[in-house]
Amino acid sequence: MSRKYVPLAVVLMAWAGFSVQAQPVVQETPSVALSSAKSPMLQPLTLGTAWQTALENSPILSGSLREVEAARGVLTQAGAFQNPSLGVEVEDLRAGSRSTTFTLSQPLELGGKRSSRIAAAERALEAARVQYELKSSQLRADLTAVFLATLLSQERVRLAQESLDIARSGSLAASKRVQAGKVSPLEETRSKVAEANVRLELAQAQGELDAQMQELRALLAGGPPFDTLDGDALQLPSLPPIEELQARVEGSPTMRMARLETQRLTALADLEQAKRTPDIAVSLGMQRAQQDGRSIAIVGVSIPLPVFDTNRGNIVEALRRRDKSEDDARAMELRLRADLAIARQRLDMASREVMAARTEILPAAQLAFNAAAQGFELGKFEYLDVLDAQRTLLQARTQYLRSLGESHRAVADVARLLGTNPSQP
C-alpha cells in the first residue's frame, strides 16, 4: 500500500463549503516534517552514517578492544620462562678463613606446564576477540532497532498531525452545521472532544519521538548533530527460513565464545595435571676459600618431593569447571535455537498483521470514514458515526505501525542472537 494518504482534511472542508485557502490550518504543535525547515544546516541521519559514528565513538567497543589488548598481554606473560636466581653465601667472616660461594640457579618447568599455560592464554585471547565481535554485532542490532523505531515514531507523528488536521476539519464542519441550525450543539462539543483527544495523541507521539532521539544519540556517543532521520521504516523486513537460521547457530559469536571457554578450561585442567610433575632447579656456582686460595666449582639439582601436596584438589576443580562449561554451552545452544524460533514466529505474525492492515483494514477504514463524513454532510448520518469511523481509522493506523515495529524488533533480535545480519547468507 502506498504511504500517501487521501488528504481528508481538504475533502472534508470542501464538503462543508469552505476553501482551504480561506481556512488555513494552524499547527499548534510542530511536526517532524517542519524540523528540517527550522534547522536547514542539519542533515538527516542515515543508518549507515549512524553505524559508522557508533563504530568510531562507542565506549563499549573501545572497552572490548582494551580487553583484547589485555588478553594479548596475558599470552605474552604465559610464554615467559622463569627467571634465574643469583645466590651469594659467605662462611666465617674472618678474613683469613672466609669462604665465599656464588651460585646461579635456573628453575626448569616439566610436565608441559608452559605449553598448557600458553594454550589457555591463546583461548582467552580468541575469546576476547570474539567478545569484541559479539559486542559489535549487538551494538549494530541495538542501533538498527532504535533507528527504525525512531523512524516509525516520525511516521506516527506525521500521521498524528494528519489526524489532527482531519479532526479540526470535522470540528469546523460541525460548527458550521450548528450555526446553520442543521444539527444539535452537542455535535460540535463531541467534535471538540475528538479534536482534543487527537491533539493529545500528537503530543504523546512527539514525546515518544524525542525520547527515542535521545536514546539514539546515546548509542552514537557523539557525531554530527541531527534532528531527523532518513530511511524507510515502512518496508517490511524478511528473514530466511528457520532451518537456515538454525544452521547458523554454531557459527554465532555466542556459541564460539562458549566453545572457546571450554577449550580454555581444558587447557587449565591440563595445567593442573602437569603441576603434579615437580619442577627442578639446576644450579651452577663457585666457592672461593681464602685460607688456601682455591676456587671450587659447584653443581646442584633441587627436586621437590610431592609427598603431602599432589595438587589433587585443584585438578578436580579444574575438571569439574570444564565439565560445567560443556553443560553451559549445550544449554546456550538450546536457548539460542528456541529464541530464534520464537523471533521467527513473531516476525511471521507481525508480517501477517502488516499485510492485513495494508490490504484490508486500512483501505476499509479509510472508505468507512469517507462514507461517514459524506453521509454526515448529506444529513444521512449523525456526527457520532463520523467520530466512530475516525476512531477506527486512527486505531488501524496505530496498529499498523505497531505491527511494523514488532517485525523490526524480531529481526533485530535474530541479529543479536546470530551476531550478523540475518538477511545475508
Side-chain angles (χ1 to χ4, degrees), residues 137-382:
S137 62
Q138 289 178 344
L139 177 62
R140 181 188 290 271
D142 292 339
L143 183 63
T144 302
V146 173
F147 188 91
L148 293 176
T150 308
L151 275 179
L152 286 175
S153 293
Q154 285 189 170
E155 184 68 15
R156 182 187 173 193
V157 170
R158 186 188 70 80
L159 292 179
Q161 184 65 57
E162 180 180 315
S163 300
L164 182 58
D165 295 339
I166 294 174
R168 284 171 176 161
S169 300
S171 297
L172 180 61
S175 177
K176 294 303 179 180
R177 288 180 63 81
V178 168
Q179 293 176 7
K182 296 182 179 180
V183 295
S184 167
L186 183 60
E187 303 295 340
E188 182 179 5
T189 303
R190 289 170 175 169
S191 66
K192 294 297 183 181
V193 172
E195 180 182 348
N197 289 333
V198 176
R199 188 179 293 108
L200 179 60
E201 172 70 18
L202 176 60
Q204 292 174 346
Q206 187 65 57
E208 180 180 347
L209 176 61
D210 294 340
Q212 289 176 337
M213 281 287 191
Q214 292 299 328
E215 185 178 359
L216 182 59
R217 291 188 177 96
L219 287 176
L220 295 179
F226 63 93
D227 55 0
T228 57
L229 304 184
D230 183 13
D232 184 13
L234 299 184
Q235 181 180 1
L236 187 63
S238 60
L239 284 175
I242 185 60
E243 294 79 13
E244 183 176 341
L245 295 177
Q246 297 283 8
R248 302 186 191 180
V249 169
E250 279 297 327
S252 64
T254 302
M255 287 306 304
R256 286 158 55 197
M257 281 192 60
R259 303 302 182 195
L260 285 171
E261 179 64 11
T262 300
Q263 296 174 13
R264 186 184 73 86
L265 292 176
T266 299
L268 290 178
D270 294 339
L271 176 60
E272 296 299 334
Q273 293 274 13
K275 287 181 179 180
R276 299 187 65 176
T277 302
D279 299 334
I280 66 174
V282 178
S283 58
L284 299 175
M286 181 188 68
Q287 186 179 59
R288 175 70 176 177
Q290 293 293 111
Q291 187 173 5
D292 52 11
R294 292 189 308 163
S295 296
I296 303 174
I298 298 175
V299 179
V301 177
S302 175
I303 304 177
L305 299 178
V307 177
F308 302 107
D309 184 6
T310 59
N311 205 40
R312 181 176 180 180
N314 290 334
I315 293 175
V316 173
E317 177 190 5
L319 290 175
R320 296 298 80 78
R321 291 190 183 279
R322 181 201 60 188
D323 297 341
K324 178 180 178 297
S325 69
E326 293 177 350
D327 295 336
D328 292 342
R330 178 58 179 165
M332 179 66 67
E333 180 181 358
L334 295 176
R335 183 70 263 175
L336 284 178
R337 294 186 183 278
D339 290 343
L340 279 177
I342 293 173
R344 189 66 175 82
Q345 186 177 11
R346 285 168 47 207
L347 176 63
D348 292 341
M349 184 178 301
S351 299
R352 288 193 294 268
E353 293 176 357
V354 170
M355 295 308 299
R358 287 179 177 178
T359 58
E360 300 177 13
I361 299 176
L362 282 175
Q366 189 78 62
L367 289 176
F369 175 75
N370 293 344
Q374 185 177 14
F376 173 71
E377 173 63 23
L378 298 177
K380 297 181 179 180
F381 299 129
E382 296 182 357

